[in-house]
Amino acid sequence: MSRANVRVYLILLFWAIPSFAQSDVGELRLKVSDPSGLGIGSRVELKSAANHFHETLVTNDDGKLTISRLPFGIYEVQLAHYGFDAFLGSIEIGSAVAVDYNIRLNIAVQGESINVAEISTLVDPHRTGTIQRLGSDAIMERPASLPGRSVAELVNSQPGWLYEGNSVLHPRGSEYNTQFVVDGIPLTDNRSPGFAPEIEVDEIQSISIYTAGFPAEFGRKLGGVVEVNTVRQTQRGLSGEAVLSGGSFNTGDGYVGAQYGFGKSAIGITAQASTTDWYLNPPVLRNYTNHGSTSDFALKYEHELADKDRIGLIFRHGQSVFEVPNENVQQEAGQRQDRTNKETMGVISYQHVFSSNTVADFRGMLRQTTHTLSSNAESTPIQSAQDRGYREGYTKVVISNHHGIHEWRAGADADFGAIREEFAYQISDPTQFNPGTPGTFVFAGKRHDLEQAAFVQDQIRLGKWTVSAGLRWDHYQLLVNQNALSPRVGVARYFESADLVVHGSYDRIFQTPSSENILLSSSSQVAALNPNVLRLPVEPSRGNYYEIGFTKGFFQQLRLDVNYFRRYLTNYSDDDLLLNTSVGFPISFRKAYIYGAEGKVDLPRWKKWSGFLSYSYTFGTAYLPVTGGLFLGGDAAGALGETGRFRDSQDQRNSVRGRLRYQLLPRLWIAFGGDYGSGLPVDFVDTKEAALAIYGERIVDRVDFAHGRVKPSLSLDTSVGAEIWKKDRVTLTLQADVRDLNNRVNLINFVGLFSGTALETPRSYALRLQATF
């Protein structure tokens, strides 16, 4: 990047700085006082069953407390203070504009007691789309996961989501279209373990997961949106946590995070490091060359300049270094392939309150990523090398306004990127490729990526009816120059007597192609490698999403969500993997048609029980021809054609996940979980005998060649957790996990043109010790 471009990015960064607010979150400003109006320092408990939110916070000496980044919904407020009657109330957060809530306590009268009816916070009466929330309890007591995939596994437990090999998330049959929004900043690149360093899950405070009814604020990647908040609520003094964990496959992980609140400021720091001998999902039972390590560091600062102004800074650096797992033949040949992913970003944020009804949020980011692949001379059937990078400057401004029955949000953003790609290969085993395939290939390219957007969104509340309407404009300029208008609308009707919300939504979407290796994938330079693929620029995807569903509460304890959806897309995006290197190249198909149904039973807390059970049905069809990619190998010509259709690679008809937790003793709990999948499609074009020679009987036995699918998978898990020590504000907990109790060979993918072979982890053990203070 030239110095002139850097200066431009810095000017734009400080012109539009990021907000503390996210799309569907607000702020609550509490004040606790005695009967005369004098402020009282108190402990306040705030919880919402629908949002899986439960925190106990402390006001300052004047009785004031500001709670930011609260997901929209209904909250229960509890307060007990010696000498005063207990207080129990409710408040709804439904606007980015801060809500003021005053609590005036009454002096307790000896001999009198006050019984307050329980407040239901299980069903959000104004939700027009599908949003799943994961709070601190779900994050803290999650089942153990291997480094690099803890967030992905939490998301994957929700209905409508599944992942193929190496924890690449696929929402509702979509590939490469998951967007992570981290502290209000959208990250649209692939965030799976093979492509980017993970933000440590212990750092995360809450997760919101969208699959329909997207606010117009969201764009570019809309298969699904995962909104992550890593910033803690500001509290006086020192607070934080430290975690040590380890288990099977020589896995070890350490994390420490601390925050110190003073005056109107707070500063926080987090650091994480991990190592494992099972980083990616291997293609064979013997877990060859699969060592990986990760590290992450973040520094955060917030300061309230005045009652109407707040500023924040975040610096983050992360990296992952890992080997690429070998197949049997590659291991015998002595192959060694190494990959690295590095990411550095800086975020600055500013919020200004114009009035009690209007607030402005500004945000901006500078980010740089680098990704490399190297192969030794013994690599077979190909020696490949990659060195690519991406520099990004992002700015955004949003104005929010509350006016009567309207909740307005309007804004604009701009994304400026510089893409650099270098790729080369040398074929070491020509028998594995089509005759005439060049023995060597070298590619290098650079390009600027310019993307801009503007949006307006309104939520209208008409009694029991809620209407969400928005319009988004996008401009994308990389290899093509395109614009799009995307209307969004959602409607919900609340039936209070039945505790039932019926909703429906329509989303018009415009999705930009993946930036990973897009210059090579769209280059006419690779036409000689396979003439069966169109060598045109990979274009943005356009589509129409429809959903209808309902949410029903039972006895204020249990919630049922049921949804039916349809998705129609043109230029349907996917990726083409280079053998089993986990290096992907973006492609697109002419169109795709996806539909399905989902259901989830959620039990936040009933007596000693809590848990969930989710079910998903997905049917997807994609239509040729294919554009882009890097297709090599003898099966490419037979699998690619000018016309025809095939099953979407995420077409898993039935998926079931669940977890049930029981509180055995006040400080001891146990949980059981399970994961079932009916199997993904198989595109293997060779004979079963050939597969046996390469992969062995135990893997091939997990493939149903007659029906062209992987056989069903089933994994059963258990966890035990105990609070082993507590004093004042310090708590020490210990958790033990066993994954895949049944020790079954579960095959995720089997050899295909667009996805490699990947095995799920066998039975494994983990132990996690966590201290909070």
Side-chain angles (χ1 to χ4, degrees), residues 193-270:
F195 288 84
E198 182 187 44
I199 294 176
E200 172 59 36
V201 71
D202 287 308
E203 184 185 349
I204 294 172
Q205 307 303 305
S206 63
I207 304 175
S208 298
I209 304 165
Y210 299 74
T211 50
F214 298 105
E217 190 170 348
F218 290 148
R220 299 186 178 95
K221 297 291 188 293
L222 286 175
V225 177
V226 180
E227 199 168 32
V228 169
N229 170 45
T230 72
V231 181
R232 294 175 175 270
Q233 299 293 339
T234 300
Q235 292 281 278
R236 290 177 298 172
L238 182 66
S239 62
E241 63 180 327
V243 183
L244 285 175
S245 63
S248 301
F249 318 116
N250 295 318
T251 299
D253 187 281
Y255 167 82
V256 61
Q259 178 174 286
Y260 184 73
F262 55 99
K264 295 185 176 181
S265 302
I267 187 168
I269 186 171
T270 64

Side-chain angles (χ1 to χ4, degrees), residues 259-306:
Q259 178 174 286
Y260 184 73
F262 55 99
K264 295 185 176 181
S265 302
I267 187 168
I269 186 171
T270 64
Q272 174 270 340
S274 69
T275 181
T276 183
D277 288 335
W278 190 299
Y279 188 75
L280 299 179
N281 293 100
V284 293
L285 286 173
R286 296 292 298 273
N287 184 33
Y288 299 122
T289 62
N290 200 7
H291 180 77
S293 62
T294 70
S295 61
D296 180 84
F297 171 82
L299 182 64
K300 306 169 188 177
Y301 175 76
E302 282 192 3
H303 179 68
E304 190 171 339
L305 299 170

Side-chain angles (χ1 to χ4, degrees), residues 22-26 70-72 131 133 210 215 217-218 227 409:
Q22 295 161 249
S23 61
D24 278 350
V25 297
L70 286 175
F72 287 179
I131 309 174
R133 312 278 195 191
Y210 299 74
E217 190 170 348
F218 290 148
E227 199 168 32
R409 282 175 70 84

Side-chain angles (χ1 to χ4, degrees), residues 9 130 450 606 740:
Y9 286 1
T130 298
L450 304 176
W606 178 67
D740 193 24

